[in-house]
Amino acid sequence: MMLASAGLRARIAPEWGGALLGLDAVIDGRLAPLMRPSPFAPSPDGVVPDSNRLTCYPLLPWSNRISDDGFEFDGRRIDLPRNRDDEPWPIHGSGWQRAWRVAYAAADEALLTLDETSARDYRYRANLRYRLRERALEVSLSVVNIGLASLPFGLGLHPFFPRDADTRLRAPADRVWLNDGRTPLPTELADIPEHWRFDDARVLPADCVDHGFVGWSGRASIRWPRRRLGLDIDSDVDRFVLYTPVGADFFCFEPVDHAIDAVHLPGGALAHGMTALAPGARVQRRFRFTAIECEPN
């Protein structure tokens, strides 16, 4: 499915987790990638490819990893199945691995829906809306708990961005969850090391960052000086996960509303951004990505 506005083009694959397969700016009649293009095209068999080669996908009903294959909440055990062969823990919830339904489509907008009823505990109804406005992509993601008991929910997006040698990021935050260097599971909330501070636009670090940042303003910017292109990000969440694999031609900047493994951190899930939804309750998050043409250096 293709969406188009005066300044943007977006490709969507509802059957592949409601994912984006590409987001491009239209500049002087050519397409310039704002997110890393996916090499895949939907096939008749509907088989989902490696999701980490997609362009962007929704994170729900929680993001990143949850250790111990589940957690305790309100005095009961919530078991979570592992959902990737190469991961030792459940990762990114379930929405990214389900086929979504197109509820509404226009030239510049699409509304996707998902009823997740296969899970034992996390049963939910979700809406995912993509809307193009001139040079901005607006994304809204909402979820309703249709299960029988209250559960902690968390939402986010997992976009992949092109990375050049001089790609710059600005994303002011207050603190970062450190880990043991072997897994991305958080162990300590600490001050942000100087070379990971993005209060002002700076080139991405050479080492591998795979951490969750807290106290984010909800606003960030990415600049690709050689391509004279930029992207401004605006969201109503206050955390992000940054992933910068060494030697890769991409990086991930994931706006989310809760910490990695929030359910196991001191104080529990709700103290670290997740929202307790009683049966029938709803939560929604919004994200906006605006293309910017930059002046040459």
Side-chain angles (χ1 to χ4, degrees):
M1 174 185 296
M2 176 70 77
L3 302 183
S5 67
L8 293 178
R9 300 291 184 272
R11 292 186 296 133
I12 304 172
E15 64 273 44
W16 288 352
L20 286 173
L21 299 182
L23 177 67
D24 301 305
V26 181
I27 300 176
D28 297 330
R30 62 179 180 85
L31 299 181
L34 296 167
M35 295 182 183
R36 182 194 65 178
S38 172
F40 301 117
S43 58
D45 59 17
V47 175
V48 179
D50 179 2
S51 295
N52 286 326
R53 297 299 306 281
L54 300 176
T55 296
C56 178
Y57 51 80
L59 302 172
L60 73 158
W62 40 270
S63 81
N64 215 280
R65 296 156 178 87
I66 290 182
S67 62
D68 196 32
D69 293 332
F71 59 95
E72 299 284 334
F73 188 76
D74 277 354
R76 61 195 181 91
R77 169 74 182 181
I78 309 300
D79 291 313
L80 299 174
R82 300 184 188 187
N83 54 352
R84 276 188 70 102
D85 292 339
D86 58 352
E87 284 286 343
W89 310 283
I91 183 169
H92 294 329
S94 55
W96 66 310
Q97 295 179 317
R98 301 291 187 263
W100 294 60
R101 182 178 66 87
V102 179
Y104 170 80
D108 59 359
E109 182 177 351
L111 173 63
L112 311 182
T113 64
L114 170 64
D115 284 351
E116 172 58 290
T117 58
S118 61
R120 172 183 156 187
D121 292 297
Y122 272 107
R123 299 163 67 89
Y124 59 86
R125 177 171 297 117
N127 285 345
L128 174 60
R129 185 185 299 274
Y130 294 106
R131 177 185 293 141
L132 300 186
R133 293 290 181 262
E134 297 295 331
R135 293 208 165 188
L137 166 65
E138 299 173 351
V139 183
S140 65
L141 178 63
S142 67
V143 63
V144 176
N145 181 4
I146 61 173
L148 300 177
S150 178
L151 282 172
F153 282 76
L155 304 179
L157 292 182
H158 196 311
F160 296 77
F161 296 103
R163 180 177 182 178
D164 306 324
D166 59 349
T167 299
R168 295 178 177 271
L169 172 68
R170 181 181 184 276
D174 293 335
R175 307 196 81 190
V176 63
W177 279 102
L178 301 179
N179 54 51
D180 62 10
R182 294 179 291 107
T183 77
L185 297 178
T187 57
E188 177 190 358
L189 187 60
D191 293 336
I192 301 173
E194 174 56 33
H195 68 298
W196 291 359
R197 293 200 66 89
F198 299 98
D199 296 344
D200 299 306
R202 69 187 305 168
V203 174
L204 292 168
D207 55 334
C208 180
V209 183
D210 193 1
H211 296 75
F213 292 71
V214 304
W216 177 42
S217 66
R219 292 177 173 81
S221 62
I222 301 170
R223 296 291 184 265
W224 297 277
R226 295 182 190 180
R227 297 196 287 141
R228 298 171 59 180
L229 188 63
L231 191 68
D232 287 346
I233 301 170
D234 192 349
S235 175
D236 60 2
V237 302
D238 62 357
R239 304 165 192 257
F240 65 84
V241 175
L242 180 63
Y243 177 48
T244 62
V246 175
D249 62 356
F250 73 91
F251 73 101
C252 298
F253 180 88
E254 307 161 38
V256 295
D257 63 9
H258 61 289
I260 297 170
D261 206 23
V263 294
H264 290 299
L265 294 178
L270 308 188
H272 297 283
M274 298 188 81
T275 302
L277 294 185
R282 175 178 180 268
V283 65
Q284 177 172 301
R285 304 299 182 200
R286 296 182 176 88
F287 314 87
R288 183 181 177 93
F289 303 88
T290 304
I292 305 293
E293 286 190 60
C294 302
E295 295 297 324
N297 290 339

